Amino acid sequence: GEVCSGHGACTADGDCVCNAPYTGIACSDVYCPYDCYNHGSCDSTGVCHCQGPWSGIYCSQQTVNPLEGGTANFVFRNGYIRTREDVGTIYLNVTRGGSTFGEVYVSYQTKDASAHAHTDYMPTSGRLLWSTGDATDRQIQVDIVGDDHVEGLEAFVVYLFDPSPGSTVGDNATISISANGNDNSDDSAVVTVKIDLPEDRLRLSTAAGAQFASDFVADVCGPNVLYIPTDRVIVKEVQSIDSATSYLTFVILGDPSGPSTDDLAIIIWDQMQDPSSALYRGVATRYVDRNFQPVFKFSTPKAVSEPDNYLWLLGIFIPLAVLVGCGVVAYKRRNQLTEWLLWRLGNMRFNSLMRHRNLDLDEDARADSDRQRIDDSRYDRSGQVKPGDELGDARL
């Protein structure tokens, strides 16, 4: 028969490396993650088809019948916030979109990533309420804990959940907040990949989307890919491309004690260039589009206390200060300056007149010299016209 049932590649050791969604020794079996939680069927492409009130990528989300009125869509105004430890307090705005009819609510809560509650930030949770007709933003207050320890980039998450019946939580339901240590070792990479699944099956606010994000992080941080702690990777957001595909953006956080984000980004790039890499064999990463080139954005700002940050300011202010100083001196001594300018202009005029006068004198001297030379050639010492030059008088 075909090698690995035509669904994979055979290694030098004789083992099959299966292409998603196939599994098994000979890559002859098709699997769906979590067996669709027994709420649907798995087709030949490894995609769950949910039944009854169940939905989501793994059929783990139960559809809620909306009540009459009172529907809304809750989102954070900013899906990714960066701050410093010494900022004290930050405020996150949550907006109510969609219908403004009826009383609605949504819950919120903080969650550790690489930052830890009580040590790096104060945990908070609660419920935001809106009355009918009210569409103003609500704020969530989070206190950042500053200390004197040298730390790298840390992060925690604030997420929305449990919206009122009939309401939803939008795409930007998760905010990643980085608390930069006092050493300013802020180092992160933001990576965007294409996922061959619709956005409604990846939405972070749903149980299925949260599960997919967790699986994605586990796949990326696993021993066959980046081999780093899972708290260094956070799924930032999901955006719809069309009815069948989406963009997924995740953040690789810096860690002074581990591999740099530059090195980790290179590993991600290399793995995505190899169609048979382990990156494409994970529970969630098998849905990453192999033909899409990932987009990377890096952030490594310098410490604001470094002198070279002010060099460009010095290049502007020094010449400006010189000009201002000259202007002040010129204003205070404007009378002397005016007299000097007038004297200078008069001197220039006098020198010009003298040059013209000297030119005229030179012209007269040259004419006299020429006239004397002619006379010397025509007359002898006694003043008589030399013989043969009588015609010269007629010419003159």
Side-chain angles (χ1 to χ4, degrees), residues 189 191 225-226 252 260-273 294 296 298:
V191 187
V225 185
L226 296 182
I252 304 175
S260 69
T261 53
D262 290 351
D263 293 337
L264 297 176
I266 291 174
I267 294 174
I268 290 289
W269 174 268
D270 290 341
Q271 292 251 352
M272 292 195 68
Q273 305 311 304
F296 293 88
F298 296 91

Side-chain angles (χ1 to χ4, degrees), residues 20 31 33-34 57-58 193-197 202 208-220 235 248 278-289:
Y31 74 98
Y34 311 106
I57 188 171
Y58 305 132
V193 297
K194 183 179 179 181
I195 304 293
D196 292 331
L197 289 171
L202 305 175
Q211 182 64 58
F212 183 89
S214 177
D215 291 340
F216 185 90
V217 170
D219 292 342
V220 169
V235 174
L248 183 144
L279 178 69
Y280 297 112
R281 299 199 301 270
V283 172
T285 54
R286 66 193 181 101
Y287 293 103
V288 174
D289 191 320

Side-chain angles (χ1 to χ4, degrees), residues 92-104:
L92 316 176
N93 283 353
V94 180
T95 182
R96 171 188 183 176
S99 173
T100 59
F101 175 76
E103 296 183 355
V104 293

Side-chain angles (χ1 to χ4, degrees), residues 257-329:
S257 62
S260 69
T261 53
D262 290 351
D263 293 337
L264 297 176
I266 291 174
I267 294 174
I268 290 289
W269 174 268
D270 290 341
Q271 292 251 352
M272 292 195 68
Q273 305 311 304
D274 181 8
S276 63
S277 70
L279 178 69
Y280 297 112
R281 299 199 301 270
V283 172
T285 54
R286 66 193 181 101
Y287 293 103
V288 174
D289 191 320
R290 305 183 187 201
N291 298 318
F292 178 79
Q293 297 296 327
V295 178
F296 293 88
K297 293 182 180 179
F298 296 91
S299 176
T300 312
K302 294 183 178 179
V304 296
S305 59
E306 292 184 4
D308 58 338
N309 280 332
Y310 296 103
L311 291 180
W312 68 274
L313 293 175
L314 293 176
I316 294 176
F317 286 122
I318 289 178
L320 183 61
V322 172
L323 291 174
V324 171
C326 292
V328 171
V329 172

Side-chain angles (χ1 to χ4, degrees), residues 127-147:
R127 174 175 285 185
L128 306 174
L129 304 175
W130 284 264
S131 59
T132 183
D134 184 6
T136 57
D137 286 1
R138 297 293 187 267
Q139 282 191 333
I140 300 174
Q141 176 179 326
V142 182
D143 295 326
I144 306 298
V145 178
D147 53 48

